[in-house]
Amino acid sequence: TFSSISPLFRLKDLEVAQLGDYDVHVKMLAAPINPADINMIQGTYPILSPLPTVGGNEGVGEVLEVGRHVEALKPGDRVIPTSTALGMWRTQGTFQEKTLLKVPKDIPLLSAATLSVNPCTAYRMLIDFQSLAPGDSVIQNAANSGVGQAVIQIAKAFGIKTINVVRDRPDLPQLVERLMALGADHVITEEMLRKPEMKNLFKSIPKPRLALNCVGGKSTTEMLRHLQPKGTMVTYGGMAKQPVTVPVSAFIFQDLQLRGFWVTKWKTEHPQGEQDGMMDTLYQLIRKGQLTAPACTHVPLQDYKAALEASMKPFISSKQVLVF
C-alpha cells in the first residue's frame, strides 16, 4: 500500500557527483513513475539498490557537461537511460556514458521520458514470440496500461488486430473511446471474456495466436481459452498477485506455450546494434504519429508524495510523470 512506502521517501539536497573522464552531467527534464519503480521500493523486484538510493528507472534529461573521454554525447543532447536503477527522480545527476542513449531532438519530451520501458516491452513481445502477419490478432489484458497502449498502437501500425481486455470501472465508456482512438479493434471487460458472445467477436477477427498477460489469476485462464492451437501467452506482469493457472487440456490438446518477458533482461542479452534497430523503429513510429506517449499527468518534483499515491490507486489510466 501507499502508506507502507510513503515514509521511505525524502526530498533531499545532495552534491552532484564529480565528473569523471567517462561521465556525463545531466539535467533531468521528466521521469515517470512505473509499477517496477514501486516494486523496487517495496523490495519485490529482482534488482534492488543499496539504500539510501534515488528512485526512478526511466526518464529523459539534457546533457550539461561531458568528461574528457566521452565521445558519443555533447552538451545540449537529450538522453535516456539504458540501464536500470540509475535513479531518475532527481533534478541533476552524473552518469557513466555507457548507461545513456542519445535521443533525437524531434522526439517529443513525454515520448522520450516514457520510451525505454513500456514501448520496448510492447515491441519485443509483438515481434519475438509469434511470427504475426497483417490481419492476425493479439489479445491482451491491462490494455489501458502503458504497455497496453503501446501494444495497441504498434500492432495497428503493423496491421495486427488487437482484442483489449480491461477491468469494468465507472468511466468505462470514456476508456473504451480512448483506446479505440489509439487504434484498438475491440475493447472488452474481463467479464465479457467468459460470455458466449465472444463467439460473435471471432466472426470478424481471427482467434489470436498471441496473448499478453500483465494480470495473472482468472484473467489469464480466460484469455487462454480464446487462443489458437499452438498459440503463445507471454507474461510480463502480475497485477492480480495471483498465479497463472492453466488447464491441462490447454497443454495437451491445444499445445499452447507459456513464456515470460522482462525487458531489462532482454537488453542485457542482446547486442547494442539490435537495441539501436529497435529504437530506430520506435522513433519512426513516433515521427509518423503512430506511437504517442501514454496519457500522462505532470507533477512537480516537490509534490512527489501525491504522484506516488496517485500511481498506486486502482483503475489509474494516467501515468504520473515528475517534471523538474
Side-chain angles (χ1 to χ4, degrees), residues 117-138:
V117 178
N118 293 340
C120 294
T121 298
Y123 179 79
R124 295 268 48 113
M125 291 195 301
L126 286 169
I127 295 293
D128 292 348
F129 295 93
Q130 284 277 350
S131 299
L132 299 173
D136 284 342
S137 78
V138 172

Side-chain angles (χ1 to χ4, degrees), residues 6-69:
S6 171
L8 302 177
F9 275 88
R10 302 276 187 284
L11 200 56
K12 200 168 180 181
D13 287 324
L14 299 170
E15 289 287 320
V16 178
Q18 273 194 307
L19 195 69
D21 288 349
Y22 297 93
D23 290 341
V24 180
H25 182 191
V26 177
K27 175 179 126 188
M28 291 304 299
L29 301 173
I33 298 175
N34 289 320
D37 300 323
I38 302 295
N39 294 153
M40 284 179 85
I41 296 159
Q42 293 168 327
T44 59
Y45 203 66
I47 296 172
L48 300 175
S49 302
L51 299 175
T53 190
V54 179
N57 289 302
E58 188 179 36
V60 63
E62 181 183 318
V63 175
L64 294 178
E65 193 183 354
V66 300
R68 288 189 304 166
H69 297 317

Side-chain angles (χ1 to χ4, degrees), residues 26 28 30 32 57-63 73 77-83 86 88 95-104 107-117 120 267 279 282-283:
V26 177
M28 291 304 299
N57 289 302
E58 188 179 36
V60 63
E62 181 183 318
V63 175
L73 298 171
D77 285 345
R78 278 194 179 167
V79 288
I80 61 175
T82 60
S83 300
L86 292 186
M88 297 284 106
F95 308 102
Q96 291 182 311
E97 180 190 14
K98 66 182 181 183
T99 64
L100 300 171
L101 175 72
K102 181 179 172 180
V103 179
I107 301 301
L109 186 73
L110 281 180
S111 291
T114 56
L115 189 57
S116 62
V117 178
C120 294
K267 287 179 178 177
M279 297 309 289
L282 295 175
Y283 296 149

